[in-house]
Amino acid sequence: MSDRQPQSALREWRRHMTHPATLASLAGIGAVAGIAGPFGTDALLPLVPRLGYWLVLVTATYGAGVLAGEVLGPRLGRQPAWLRVTAVGSLTGVLVWGVVLGLNLLFFAYLPGPRELPGFLATLFVIALIVTAVLHVAGRHLHPAAPEVPAPTKPPALLERLPLDKRAPLVALSVEDHYVRVRTTKGEELLLMRLGDAIRETDGVRGAQVHRSHWAAFGQVQGARRVGDRAILTMTDGTEIPVSRANVPRIREAGLLPR
């Protein structure tokens, strides 16, 4: 563990615990508990000492939970939620043991006997786990995770074969002898390769082979018209790409040709 990690955890803990909203909330909860006097504290302590007891107890136990979260949170960020809650709740439970036992000894000169101690500690431990789980669920709803930013789309591999000044969105591919003419929005280039191989390198671009000698990028189609039982696509660069009869349904499904 680096020296910066515990320092950062303590710094965040102090910032949270000294925030006005945190202090006001803890004071309010401590005051309500002090006035109500739960767990028999109304019979054991007068009002002012009882208020002091509950203010210290609420602040110390809450601070223990926050500290446990700051210490373990960064180390468990990618673990399942149940594991994070269990780990933070367990550490919180151990810290709360010390807080409650110390305060009870200070205010009441009381420590549980050997018979009572296991049940007393188990109760505190379970409460710490439940409170940690509730705070975890509440935190997810109050502070939802930021939406993931989609990773930039990788350009199709075919563009890497082109000169830098012609690497741009694909428009169409056409067979010319043993070459494929690659058309982009910045020009065209002849590549010595098969059409099928070139089409495989258009991965990520919405398009299709519309003729045995032609492939078209659907996003670059400017117009489409029927010619008998075939069709013609007019591309954004002015090129006209023929569509064979067998491929007319394909461009119709893509919404490029009226039904």
Side-chain angles (χ1 to χ4, degrees), residues 18-230:
T18 56
H19 193 282
T22 302
L23 294 174
S25 300
L26 294 175
I29 295 170
V32 170
I35 294 171
F39 303 108
T41 54
D42 57 338
L44 295 172
L45 290 172
L47 178 59
V48 174
R50 190 166 71 241
L51 284 170
Y53 171 81
W54 280 107
L55 284 170
V56 173
L57 181 64
V58 168
T59 302
T61 52
Y62 179 78
V66 173
L67 182 61
E70 292 294 344
V71 170
L72 295 181
R75 295 164 177 78
L76 300 173
R78 296 186 178 182
Q79 300 301 322
W82 68 266
L83 180 59
R84 298 198 303 271
V85 169
T86 301
V88 173
S90 298
L91 180 56
T92 300
V94 172
L95 296 175
V96 167
W97 287 348
V99 170
V100 175
L101 290 174
L103 284 177
N104 285 352
L105 182 62
L106 177 65
F107 279 82
F108 308 115
Y110 166 77
L111 284 177
R115 284 182 150 182
E116 301 170 308
L117 187 61
F120 180 77
L121 296 181
T123 300
L124 292 178
F125 191 79
V126 171
I127 291 174
L129 284 175
I130 292 173
V131 171
T132 301
V134 170
L135 291 176
H136 171 76
V137 173
R140 289 178 58 188
H141 289 286
L142 293 175
H143 305 286
E148 293 185 4
V149 178
T153 304
K154 184 179 179 181
L158 186 61
L159 294 184
E160 297 179 4
R161 297 177 180 271
L162 304 181
L164 291 175
D165 62 335
K166 294 180 181 176
R167 295 182 184 182
L170 289 169
V171 174
L173 309 176
S174 300
V175 173
E176 294 187 16
D177 295 329
H178 298 294
Y179 292 83
V180 171
R181 184 174 295 279
V182 180
R183 294 184 172 89
T184 74
T185 57
K186 289 187 177 180
E188 55 186 60
E189 186 76 14
L190 281 174
L191 299 178
L192 181 60
M193 62 188 310
R194 295 181 299 179
L195 179 62
D197 294 335
I199 291 174
R200 277 191 287 274
E201 293 189 8
T202 64
D203 187 37
V205 180
R206 184 170 174 261
Q209 184 172 358
V210 295
H211 186 278
R212 67 179 181 179
S213 299
H214 301 278
W215 175 94
F218 292 160
Q220 298 294 328
V221 176
Q222 196 170 47
R225 66 182 189 275
R226 290 295 297 264
V227 180
D229 56 359
R230 293 173 174 77

